[in-house]
Amino acid sequence: MLTNSHAIVRHIRAWHLGPKTDKGEDYSDGEEEFYFIEIERNADDVIDHSSEEAISPPLTRTTSRRCRSFSDPSVPTQPPVSSSAQLHLDDNFIWPLRQAGGRGKAKRPLHQTVHTNTRKARGDGKKCRKVFGMENKQLWCTQCRWKKACAKFID
DNA sequence: CTTGCCGGGCA
DNA sequence: TGCCCGGCAAG
Ligand SMILES: [Zn+2]
């Protein structure tokens, strides 16, 4: 329940973090847009909390894919994609700015809360992987792509 | 099941 | 030196 809400908030936050102009801009070429729409749709479902349920469709739960519209069964997978939006799908949408402020050794409240000697208690881990997703591996940071210690979202 | 990373492999 | 995976630990 909360996880869902959190997820939504996370995305929304991100999408609203960059362009403070509130909806009325951004919109790339229809690649990340899915995400935004998808989430919103979900939120609606949550807040609605009414009607529908008995006639709930088969709901093709592919046991995965947090985003990416599940479109309709009439469409195979990945529509004609129009053209080749894989070599230039970037250079447009301003992905959620990383940790506000800007990387460069921010303040470190001198902490050393004995990590119980159990490898980083990865409580929060919004690294390239989770943030972008497997489908966008091309956007991950080099380190992440090589399954090494992420260099972008350092915590 | 997942994410995140070390260690190790290959050109 | 860049690139990637096996396998592990932690949720
Ligand atoms: Zn990364």
Side-chain angles (χ1 to χ4, degrees):
Chain A
M1 264 221 183
L2 272 146
T3 19
N4 252 322
S5 283
H6 266 117
I8 314 296
V9 173
R10 248 192 283 143
H11 277 200
I12 301 289
R13 270 260 210 91
W15 313 136
H16 285 31
L17 199 95
K20 280 190 194 118
T21 33
D22 267 46
K23 62 177 179 171
E25 205 246 79
D26 49 285
Y27 282 166
S28 61
D29 265 340
E31 180 82 286
E32 281 79 38
E33 213 184 323
F34 293 138
Y35 289 62
F36 188 42
I37 300 198
E38 227 80 81
I39 301 306
E40 279 230 321
R41 209 187 70 78
N42 250 319
D44 250 10
D45 238 26
V46 174
I47 58 172
D48 231 5
H49 210 314
S50 275
S51 62
E52 83 180 55
E53 198 185 74
I55 52 164
S56 47
L59 224 146
T60 17
R61 246 208 197 262
T62 6
T63 339
S64 226
R65 263 86 226 197
R66 274 168 232 313
C67 296
R68 209 107 233 171
S69 64
F70 12 95
S71 38
D72 276 47
S74 31
V75 181
T77 8
Q78 302 260 336
V81 123
S82 293
S83 325
S84 48
Q86 253 202 340
L87 279 164
H88 64 277
L89 74 164
D90 31 74
D91 291 21
N92 226 333
F93 186 82
I94 39 169
W95 280 83
L97 278 84
R98 330 285 175 232
Q99 272 161 29
R103 180 101 304 97
K105 262 155 215 160
K107 55 184 114 175
R108 214 103 212 156
L110 232 81
H111 250 178
Q112 240 187 353
T113 34
V114 175
H115 279 133
T116 26
N117 268 356
T118 42
R119 215 187 223 196
K120 282 172 217 170
R122 195 164 6 85
D124 349 65
K126 286 95 144 77
K127 301 238 199 324
C128 303
R129 210 154 157 185
K130 233 173 200 171
V131 174
F132 300 116
M134 304 286 200
E135 283 78 342
N136 291 321
K137 189 168 173 172
Q138 337 162 29
L139 298 172
W140 298 5
C141 90
T142 340
Q143 294 287 101
C144 277
R145 269 187 307 178
W146 301 344
K147 296 218 295 195
K148 294 282 192 241
C150 178
K152 239 171 173 158
F153 303 81
I154 339 158
D155 67 335

